[in-house]
């Protein structure tokens, strides 16, 4: 039996594999990658590599085996046929007879267009009959902390979220939840709503940035139309800009405020606070 991680060289996938290496022998881990060269460091640590691509179903032949526990990390190509890409892995998992297929989804409360691909994938997974775990990951700290340059340049946090609150958590936290499911017991056919226990508003985020930088950074609340225009202006494709602006509209409605407590329960500790993520980003 292997623990198989798709998208293993992506941001989340790397965290998952690195944390798995702390729990299980490397030879029990298979990293599914598109580019073998990008996974050379994982191979050097003894992780098995399988080269496969969501867009080429035949590449998954023989990758999965009976009894495997598989983490399907959702494709990153927003706007492409992600449900179709994910179906490739679901079909391969069913054919192989895997023990568990865990999928990184989106919060059940999220109605923004970004969630449509996830809902379609969940529906396909449940219809397949494969034993599943739905890891409905909330928003990531890094969605904000990795994009601090314009905030610090203009001394302004710009968002279309009003006074809405976000229960974001660190990638490493969501990875820890996935590792808990892949290495633990009792997660069959379960759905977990994942987010930090402490939600924050954009005004609070701006205040924390001000406190840590010594600058006066304010929150500039704009409309979703204005935000979509700003995002398109910095080079994002129009459809992607619209999707991301739509997430802010969902935040304003409270759809990314997660109150389940599932994340801290799964990982056995409190989730990383946004203040800590800001601190790490500023030092980096």
């Amino acid at each position: 039996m292997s623990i198989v991680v798709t998208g293993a060289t992506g941001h989340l996938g790397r965290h998952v594999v690195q944390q798995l290496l702390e729990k299980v022998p490397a030879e029990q881990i298979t990293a599914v990658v598109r580019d073998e060269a990008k996974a050379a460091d994982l191979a050097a640590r003894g992780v098995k590599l399988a080269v496969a691509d969501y867009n080429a179903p035949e590449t998954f032949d023989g990758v999965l085996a009976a009894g495997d526990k598989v983490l399907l990390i959702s494709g990153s190509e927003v706007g492409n046929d992600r449900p179709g890409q994910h179906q490739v892995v679901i079909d391969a998992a069913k054919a192989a007879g895997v023990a568990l297929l865990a999928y990184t989804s989106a919060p059940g409360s999220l109605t923004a267009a970004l969630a449509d691909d996830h809902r379609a994938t969940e529906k396909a997974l449940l219809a397949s009959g494969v034993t599943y775990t739905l890891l409905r990951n909330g928003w990531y700290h890094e969605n904000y902390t990795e994009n601090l340059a314009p905030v610090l340049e203009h001394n302004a946090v710009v968002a279309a979220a009003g006074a809405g609150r976000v229960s974001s958590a660190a990638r490493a936290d969501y990875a820890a939840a996935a590792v808990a499911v892949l290495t633990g017991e009792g997660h069959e056919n379960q759905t977990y709503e994942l987010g930090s226990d402490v939600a924050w508003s954009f005004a609070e985020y701006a205040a924390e940035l001000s406190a840590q930088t010594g600058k006066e950074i304010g929150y500039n609340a704009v409309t979703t139309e204005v935000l979509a225009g700003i995002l398109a202006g910095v080079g994002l494709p129009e459809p992607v800009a619209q999707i991301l602006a739509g997430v802010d509209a969902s935040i304003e409605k409270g759809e990314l405020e997660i109150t389940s407590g599932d994340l801290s329960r799964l990982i056995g500790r409190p989730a990383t606070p946004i203040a800590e993520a800001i601190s790490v980003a500023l030092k980096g």
Side-chain angles (χ1 to χ4, degrees):
M1 182 208 85
S2 281
I3 295 176
V4 183
V5 180
T6 74
T9 54
H11 290 306
L12 180 61
R14 279 196 170 276
H15 277 292
V16 172
V17 174
Q18 285 159 2
Q19 292 185 39
L20 279 171
L21 283 165
E22 298 169 8
K23 300 246 182 179
V24 299
E27 60 267 21
Q28 290 182 19
I29 305 168
T30 299
V32 179
V33 300
R34 283 190 296 189
D35 184 347
E36 198 167 353
K38 288 184 179 177
D41 59 318
L42 301 179
R45 296 183 67 182
V47 174
K48 295 179 192 170
L49 300 185
V51 179
D53 190 326
Y54 295 156
N55 296 310
E58 68 281 359
T59 61
F60 275 88
D61 291 348
V63 170
L64 307 182
D68 284 351
K69 289 187 174 180
V70 183
L71 177 64
L72 168 54
I73 294 180
S74 57
S76 58
E77 298 166 340
V78 176
N80 282 9
D81 179 22
R82 291 201 294 171
Q85 293 176 331
H86 300 156
Q87 186 73 53
V88 168
V89 182
I90 293 169
D91 290 345
K94 183 173 184 177
V98 304
L100 181 76
L101 179 57
Y103 171 65
T104 61
S105 191
S109 52
L110 185 65
T111 64
L114 185 71
D116 292 350
D117 290 350
H118 294 297
R119 298 292 161 257
T121 301
E122 289 185 3
K123 185 177 179 182
L125 180 51
L126 268 61
S128 74
V130 173
T131 301
Y132 68 88
T133 306
L134 298 181
L135 296 165
R136 287 178 168 168
N137 289 353
W139 221 220
Y140 292 61
H141 289 334
E142 290 86 352
N143 291 343
Y144 304 105
T145 60
E146 288 182 351
N147 297 290
L148 285 178
V151 174
L152 300 177
E153 181 185 348
H154 300 289
N155 293 328
V157 172
V158 179
R165 303 179 73 79
V166 188
S167 303
S168 67
R171 278 198 195 103
D173 294 337
Y174 294 117
V179 168
V181 165
L182 294 168
T183 60
E185 301 296 331
H187 303 293
E188 292 81 5
N189 301 332
Q190 298 295 311
T191 298
Y192 297 113
E193 299 287 348
L194 303 177
S196 69
D197 298 315
V198 181
W200 50 269
S201 69
F202 283 88
E204 290 167 344
Y205 178 63
E208 183 62 36
L209 280 168
S210 298
Q212 291 201 31
T213 61
K215 299 172 108 180
E216 281 294 322
I217 297 174
Y219 170 36
N220 183 9
V222 298
T223 64
T224 52
E225 291 77 17
V226 167
L227 181 61
I230 292 170
L231 294 172
V234 297
L236 283 182
E238 180 73 27
V240 176
Q242 292 289 347
I243 286 170
L244 292 178
V247 171
D248 272 25
S250 284
I251 290 172
E252 184 168 23
K253 291 185 279 188
E255 293 177 5
L256 280 175
E257 187 169 358
I258 313 297
T259 58
S260 67
D262 285 350
L263 180 58
S264 56
R265 273 196 299 275
L266 275 177
I267 66 179
R269 60 170 173 78
T272 307
I274 185 69
E276 187 176 319
I278 289 170
S279 176
V280 169
L282 291 173
K283 286 173 186 165

